[in-house]
Amino acid sequence: MKIHEYQAKEILKRYGVDMPRGEVVSTAAEARAAVERLGGRVVLKAQIHAGGRGKGGGIKVVSSPDEAESAAGTLLGSMLITPQTGPEGKPIGQLLIEEALEIEREIYLGATFDRTTEAPVVIACAEGGVEIEVVAARNPALILRETADPIIGWRTFQARKLAYALGVDNKQAGVISRIISGLYAAFWENDASLAEINPLAITGDGRVVALDAKMNFDDNALFRQPGIRELRDTTQEEPLEVEASEAGLSYIKLDGSVACMVNGAGLAMATLDMIMLAGERPANFLDVGGGASAEQVAKAFRILVGDSRARAVLINIFGGIMRCDVLARGVVEAAREVDVRLPVVVRLEGTNAGEGRRILSEAGLSWEVASSFEEGARAVVRLARGKS
Amino acid sequence: MSILVDSGSRILVQGLTGREGSFHTEQMVAYGTRVVAGVTPGKGRSQHLGIPVYDTVEEAVREQGANVSIVFVPPAFAADAILEAADAGLPLVVCVTEGIPVRDMIAVSSYLRPRSTRLVGPNCPGLITPEQCKLGIMPGHIHTPGPVGVVSRSGTLTYEAVYQLTQRGVGQSTCIGIGGDPIIGTQFIDALELFNADSKTEAVVLIGEIGGNAEEDAAEYIRSHGRKPVVAFVAGRMAPPGRRMGHAGAIVSGGSGAAEDKIRALSEAGVRVVESPGQIGDTVVEVLAKGGGHGRAH
């Protein structure tokens, strides 16, 4: 789960990380009032769940309450398109307004899990303010890493090792090592999957503050993080994905024309690949679960027909313990319940597949029934292109 | 022969009395698997499905001589269940549970590292040695004994591959699902090592997917130690970066984990990588007919 910058900063503040003075607003009038209180030059930062905000015009520096009110009026309620949002952009519901600071240096700090060592790792880099992947590709020697021992936990000497290697003065190194330990604690205690301060800025007057912050959380741990769960902002998510997650389905909207419904994540990924091999792009990823109950299939149908880009549907089910004849009856039932107007290809394989295919063929749904992976993919691509 | 489980395996089910545990235990028993005990804290000294239930793993091991555990415990308690099985000294624990927090698995992984307990999963279908032992949630009847080892990060995609093999008259030595999470116990290389050493396994099917480096590690292992031909499929070429494709571990991020890199690494190691999962069965038949390929000289 993702949260906004201002929310990440509120969490990090509790762990002793210093921020620029700032306020969160959701109307132009509030923006004006905030700037009157903050005084001087301020930065208006659009709060969306994506990076690249500067490039998309979502960060504005203003010098007066008038300017702030007018800029906030334009930003709030609009869609911000950045290199990371996709073509539709993300809605701006709030702005974080912060005092503009004179920056002397920018540093990168991040905590995440390393799949190779199977342990948490803290990354620091003397070059902040740019994407860490870009620095890593250009000059990997600049990336400093400290792996935490999950059993004894993070140790303060590790924070000192990183801080002193950044090439800052002694006093700043002391401050930064405390910030690193705070970042780690915020990451670990809240079941984050990523906690990033980028950049951590050293200002002209020697303050060390988090200019930007980002935290992502482990969805599997949200059950024990009620405070984090409350920070979810569904306006930042694809509406069909929100509907799917509420129904317990794993759905990701993509940009193609072939909708699909599959049981099992691996099989669903393979189905997207097959659609691509057959010459079209998939409209979505949708895993109805290994068992694929009739109820799940009906919910999935509703979501698929809600996607205006979809031109045809491919249902790809492997019947295992759940037999294909039972599945076929469920699919037919679901299709009668949901008005499916798109052409549909069903590919059923596994236990009692012959019987399942017979049930589908005789249901009077004018669906195509395929037996092989390739046949199903070719058929659905043909239908998506408007040929019958 | 087979790897990890056979007709001598004495199975303990952690979470036996739950819905999933009950359903799949019935299926395992019907397949002929020797389920000797169950553990559900608070339900000790009772019977469930005719199987004795204990409060602790230690007790179940002592009373029934269980030597393998399968975990069907809900995600919030699953890490604890794995640790309890390891603490009781079980050499093999299979965790089916999906949705365990990464932080919990990080701790489990550290705890297991110096110990001799092997973990398979979590978030996996388990493993099966056809006609001997079904330890998991896979449909048993699509499997048949034979010379092909199957190792996969997926569930239903594995059943597809197995079904293709069985339909072509090609049986399996053992099929092992290693799981779709970012932190898992047994890796591809561990399974490949076991299949390498198993005299009855003549070829291996490896089914990978986006995320992590497990396929690249497998490629490196095959290049230096592989003694048997490997046929592979890697799912997720169409997956957009930064999105989790159903499995918690299936994500391309920070420029790593892409399917193309995995396919290239495996191909360069001499693995027959198929473009479509529909080609797995035929390709294995072809490879077996040739009497093996990669590194068979020694």
Side-chain angles (χ1 to χ4, degrees), chain A residues 118 188 218 241 263 273 347, chain B residues 102-103 109 156 160 236 243:
Chain A
E118 300 185 337
W188 182 257
D218 178 1
E241 290 182 12
N263 67 331
D273 298 342
R347 185 251 169 180
Chain B
V102 174
R103 205 175 72 181
S109 151
T156 44
E160 281 269 1
R243 301 301 308 264

Side-chain angles (χ1 to χ4, degrees), chain A residues 113 115 118 150 188 191 218 220 223-224 241 250 252 263-264 267 273-274 276 282 318 320-321 347 349-351 374, chain B residues 23 76 99 101-104 106 109-110 137 139 141 156 159-160 163 212 236-238 243-246 249 276:
Chain A
F113 286 113
R115 284 170 78 154
E118 300 185 337
W188 182 257
D191 276 300
D218 178 1
N220 289 341
F223 71 87
R224 64 184 177 202
E241 290 182 12
S250 180
I252 294 169
N263 67 331
L267 191 58
D273 298 342
M274 288 304 299
M276 180 196 69
F318 186 88
I321 285 175
R347 185 251 169 180
E349 190 53 277
T351 317
E374 283 87 353
Chain B
F23 177 79
V102 174
R103 205 175 72 181
D104 294 6
I106 290 272
S109 151
S110 293
I137 61 172
H141 61 87
T156 44
Y159 313 158
E160 281 269 1
Y163 192 72
R237 281 203 283 169
M238 267 306 289
R243 301 301 308 264
R244 281 179 205 284
M245 306 302 281
S276 152

Side-chain angles (χ1 to χ4, degrees), chain A residues 48-65:
Chain A
I48 61 163
H49 284 186
R53 291 175 298 172
K55 288 183 190 122
I59 311 253
K60 301 256 188 266
V61 181
V62 301
S63 309
S64 72

Side-chain angles (χ1 to χ4, degrees), chain B residues 25-298:
Chain B
T25 299
E26 280 187 310
Q27 302 273 333
M28 289 192 283
V29 169
Y31 192 79
T33 304
R34 288 168 73 187
V35 179
V36 299
V39 167
T40 300
K43 295 201 176 158
R45 290 170 303 282
S46 68
Q47 296 256 322
H48 183 71
L49 311 171
I51 299 161
V53 182
Y54 298 89
D55 292 315
T56 67
V57 173
E58 190 180 34
E59 218 182 336
V61 170
R62 191 174 61 232
E63 298 296 320
Q64 299 297 335
N67 55 17
V68 178
S69 169
I70 183 162
V71 176
F72 287 103
V73 170
F77 314 105
D80 197 60
I82 297 169
L83 295 176
E84 185 181 355
D87 174 74
L90 286 172
L92 178 63
V93 183
V94 174
C95 183
V96 173
T97 310
E98 176 173 7
I100 304 176
V102 174
R103 205 175 72 181
D104 294 6
M105 281 313 300
I106 290 272
V108 167
S109 151
S110 293
Y111 183 84
L112 293 183
R113 208 163 290 142
R115 289 172 171 80
S116 57
T117 297
R118 174 191 296 280
L119 171 67
V120 174
N123 190 12
C124 79
L127 54 153
I128 181 168
T129 294
E131 290 181 4
Q132 292 194 49
C133 180
K134 170 173 128 73
L135 184 64
I137 61 172
M138 67 292 286
H141 61 87
I142 63 169
H143 299 79
T144 191
V148 178
V150 178
V151 58
S152 170
R153 282 169 69 186
S154 161
T156 44
L157 185 55
T158 316
Y159 313 158
E160 281 269 1
V162 167
Y163 192 72
Q164 286 175 30
L165 293 174
T166 297
Q167 276 186 322
R168 285 160 181 77
V170 179
Q172 306 88 41
S173 52
T174 298
C175 303
I176 167 166
I178 61 174
D181 272 4
I183 310 286
I184 54 173
T186 297
Q187 300 279 358
F188 279 133
I189 48 170
D190 304 314
L192 287 168
E193 198 170 16
L194 292 164
F195 282 132
N196 242 353
D198 175 36
S199 61
K200 291 289 158 54
T201 300
E202 290 170 28
V204 176
V205 170
L206 182 151
I207 300 173
E209 64 190 33
I210 55 163
N213 295 307
E215 291 78 5
E216 286 88 337
D217 293 345
E220 192 49 49
Y221 177 84
I222 292 163
R223 183 203 299 279
S224 49
H225 299 93
R227 292 210 303 267
K228 298 173 184 183
V230 179
V231 173
F233 172 74
V234 179
R237 281 203 283 169
M238 267 306 289
R243 301 301 308 264
R244 281 179 205 284
M245 306 302 281
H247 288 155
I251 181 166
V252 179
S253 64
S256 89
E260 300 298 346
D261 298 338
K262 296 170 184 299
I263 290 168
R264 190 179 322 112
L266 288 164
S267 300
E268 284 170 8
V271 172
R272 282 283 299 272
V273 185
V274 295
E275 217 177 27
S276 152
Q279 298 161 348
I280 295 171
D282 288 340
T283 310
V284 171
V285 169
E286 204 182 294
V287 161
L288 285 173
K290 267 195 247 165
H294 181 87
R296 287 283 283 190
H298 60 276

Side-chain angles (χ1 to χ4, degrees), chain A residues 100-376:
Chain A
L101 298 167
E102 193 197 321
I103 310 301
E104 204 137 272
R105 264 195 78 171
E106 295 189 325
I107 288 162
Y108 172 94
L109 296 178
T112 188
F113 286 113
D114 181 344
R115 284 170 78 154
T116 310
T117 58
E118 300 185 337
V121 62
V122 176
I123 297 164
C125 177
E127 259 184 42
V130 284
E131 275 180 60
I132 194 70
E133 287 87 4
V134 175
V135 182
R138 203 182 51 219
N139 193 351
L142 282 175
I143 309 286
L144 310 169
R145 302 165 64 91
E146 271 296 314
T147 299
D149 183 318
I151 293 182
I152 64 164
W154 179 255
R155 312 306 299 192
T156 49
F157 80 85
Q158 298 184 285
R160 289 197 300 275
K161 266 173 81 183
L162 290 172
Y164 285 101
L166 287 169
V168 292
D169 70 38
N170 272 355
K171 184 166 161 273
Q172 285 163 352
V175 175
I176 291 171
S177 78
R178 280 191 293 280
I179 291 174
I180 293 172
S181 291
L183 176 72
Y184 183 85
F187 165 80
W188 182 257
E189 289 170 15
N190 294 290
D191 276 300
S193 52
L194 173 75
E196 228 177 29
I197 300 175
N198 187 27
L200 179 77
I202 300 175
T203 65
D205 53 0
R207 280 169 74 195
V208 184
V209 295
L211 279 198
D212 198 358
K214 177 178 173 181
M215 288 184 84
N216 294 343
F217 298 89
D218 178 1
D219 292 335
N220 289 341
L222 290 175
F223 71 87
R224 64 184 177 202
Q225 298 289 353
I228 301 298
R229 220 161 47 217
E230 277 172 23
L231 302 179
R232 183 172 174 192
D233 178 359
T234 52
T235 68
Q236 297 294 313
E237 298 171 33
E238 172 61 44
L240 288 175
E241 290 182 12
V242 176
E243 196 183 327
S245 78
E246 279 160 8
L249 297 168
S250 180
Y251 171 87
I252 294 169
K253 194 174 178 320
L254 302 170
D255 59 4
S257 62
V258 177
C260 55
M261 180 196 306
V262 189
N263 67 331
L267 191 58
M269 273 184 265
T271 303
L272 304 189
D273 298 342
M274 288 304 299
I275 293 167
M276 180 196 69
L277 281 175
E280 278 294 326
R281 295 178 66 79
N284 65 277
F285 167 95
L286 201 166
D287 169 16
V288 292
S293 67
E295 195 190 340
Q296 292 291 83
V297 170
K299 283 176 188 162
F301 258 129
R302 279 193 208 99
I303 285 159
L304 290 185
V305 299
D307 179 358
S308 57
R309 281 186 208 235
R311 294 282 167 267
V313 177
L314 172 62
I315 300 175
N316 186 10
I317 303 278
F318 186 88
I321 285 175
M322 180 81 84
R323 303 190 321 260
C324 286
D325 51 332
V326 177
L327 281 167
R329 282 194 195 94
V331 168
V332 169
E333 213 173 288
R336 291 205 172 117
E337 204 179 304
V338 184
D339 184 18
V340 184
R341 294 191 182 157
L342 296 169
V344 177
V345 177
V346 189
R347 185 251 169 180
L348 267 186
E349 190 53 277
T351 317
N352 291 7
E355 177 67 5
R357 290 196 283 264
R358 192 187 58 77
I359 291 165
L360 288 169
S361 306
E362 291 171 3
L365 287 161
S366 74
W367 289 0
E368 283 197 28
V369 180
S371 55
S372 81
F373 236 114
E374 283 87 353
E375 193 189 323

